[in-house]
Amino acid sequence: MGRVILCETIPAKTSYIFPNTKIEVFSYEELCFYVYNNIALISEEHIGVTIFHWIETELKLPELAQKLREIKQKDTTDLTDLLTTILTFKEYYTIPEIKGFILQIERMKGLTPPQYRKLQADGFLRYRKYLKAAAIYDEILEQYPDLQNDKLLGAIYHNRAVALANNFELKDAAESYLKAYGYTKNNSSIYEYLLIMATMKERSDIEVLAKHYDVEEMVEPIYGAIQDAEADVTGSPIYHSMEKAMFHYEKNNLTDFNKRMDIVIERLKTDFRAQTG
């Protein structure tokens, strides 16, 4: 989950899976880490009967489960009460960290609807749920066409482009990066725009574009990044599977070719399901 987590409590035999991100946690410590780092992706409905039962039966923490049930039954309960109860049951986080967590929740309550939705989309983007993230960015842009916040719009378009690029929608991603740059003049957006364009146009065209945006110094790093990416791809397992499949195709061994292509396709399906799940 992004860092080494030392577990002092008994790990669960069966994981708990958060319904919107499909992230699995197997211990109290992993549960705390997920909660602490994904406030925007957790709603009050996620902290209910199912997770209480899992905490009690799988984590063997009946006291925590009972505390949560009692809090949930109160009319004045909000999400902050439930989440801080989980985080403070054992000393996984320090007191200053807990105070920072509560402050972050309070700040989120002051966000406008488009700001809050962007935060959720960013969370899905972080977990490589590219289709879901892109859909939320599009929803924000459609629902708030008169949004007067250049910084927010630039961030939405930039992150939307990241999601689209990872889903190989390169033309739309390039346009989104360019819109982001138009709002913020952030060099990271124009760099990513030129990087995508470099995969579709000649180097001379990229040099002209770089000069137009007064970022000629980006050209060499862009082509260096492309070379590194090509090296990464040729070293990937799926690339080797494709190579082996094509070897059998060229030898007219269609049975072996079909078997290997089935494996490749299944891997791609698995990756796609992970995005949409």
Side-chain angles (χ1 to χ4, degrees):
M1 292 185 60
R3 75 175 192 184
V4 176
I5 298 177
L6 298 177
C7 298
E8 297 179 359
T9 55
I10 299 171
K13 292 180 180 178
T14 303
S15 65
Y16 178 77
I17 303 174
F18 282 89
N20 55 350
T21 60
K22 306 304 180 190
I23 297 298
E24 295 183 78
V25 293
F26 284 88
S27 67
Y28 168 76
E29 290 82 2
E30 287 184 345
L31 173 62
C32 286
F33 183 79
Y34 183 89
V35 166
Y36 192 88
N37 291 282
N38 294 284
I39 305 172
L41 296 179
I42 302 173
S43 64
E44 196 168 328
E45 65 184 20
H46 294 151
I47 311 299
V49 174
T50 303
I51 197 169
F52 297 161
H53 179 73
W54 180 78
I55 289 170
E56 181 175 32
T57 60
E58 291 292 335
L59 295 187
K60 311 300 182 187
L61 296 174
E63 292 181 17
L64 174 56
Q66 185 56 33
K67 278 186 178 181
L68 292 168
R69 290 188 184 103
E70 291 172 359
I71 293 170
K72 185 80 172 182
Q73 290 172 356
K74 294 179 181 178
D75 294 335
T76 56
T77 296
D78 67 9
L79 186 60
T80 308
D81 299 324
L82 293 164
L83 298 184
T84 53
T85 297
I86 292 173
L87 296 180
T88 58
F89 185 71
K90 292 183 178 290
E91 296 179 358
Y92 184 64
Y93 285 104
T94 64
I95 292 175
E97 285 175 324
I98 297 298
K99 288 182 178 178
F101 176 81
I102 295 171
L103 180 61
Q104 188 177 353
I105 293 179
E106 292 306 309
R107 285 174 177 166
M108 282 174 50
K109 290 178 181 178
L111 295 177
T112 63
Q115 287 173 326
Y116 183 73
R117 286 297 277 160
K118 180 206 171 271
L119 202 60
Q120 290 182 312
D122 293 347
F124 287 120
L125 186 64
R126 189 167 60 249
Y127 284 113
R128 300 182 181 181
K129 306 290 183 181
Y130 301 122
L131 294 175
K132 191 172 289 188
I136 297 176
Y137 294 129
D138 285 341
E139 173 196 306
I140 298 169
L141 296 169
E142 290 169 6
Q143 290 189 358
Y144 304 95
D146 299 322
L147 191 58
Q148 300 296 316
N149 186 328
D150 287 356
K151 183 178 179 180
L152 178 60
L153 283 167
I156 290 170
Y157 274 111
H158 182 96
N159 290 359
R160 176 182 182 270
V162 173
L164 293 170
N166 277 282
N167 201 41
F168 301 103
E169 298 178 57
L170 299 185
K171 184 178 179 181
D172 198 357
E175 291 174 358
S176 198
Y177 276 129
L178 201 54
K179 286 183 179 178
Y181 181 73
Y183 282 110
T184 65
K185 297 297 183 284
N186 191 313
N187 276 352
S188 64
S189 295
I190 203 64
Y191 174 88
E192 297 295 341
Y193 165 73
L194 292 173
L195 181 62
I196 289 178
M197 297 305 290
T199 67
M200 299 186 287
K201 291 182 175 292
E202 297 295 328
R203 178 164 179 152
S204 58
D205 296 323
I206 303 308
E207 289 171 349
V208 170
L209 283 171
K211 185 174 183 179
H212 173 75
Y213 291 106
D214 196 24
V215 290
E216 293 98 323
E217 72 281 359
M218 290 185 180
V219 174
E220 286 301 330
I222 282 170
Y223 282 94
I226 290 173
Q227 286 182 341
D228 291 342
E230 288 174 346
D232 290 341
V233 168
T234 55
S236 67
I238 197 166
Y239 181 86
H240 290 307
S241 296
M242 285 289 293
E243 275 192 324
K244 291 175 182 177
M246 292 309 299
F247 171 80
H248 288 289
Y249 180 80
E250 290 167 1
K251 296 293 184 182
N252 206 32
N253 298 330
L254 296 185
T255 300
D256 287 332
F257 168 75
N258 288 332
K259 285 181 180 178
R260 293 180 185 279
M261 284 306 299
D262 285 343
I263 294 171
V264 170
I265 291 169
E266 191 56 42
R267 285 179 182 172
L268 293 172
K269 285 180 178 179
T270 300
D271 290 343
F272 183 77
R273 292 190 195 105
Q275 281 196 46
T276 57

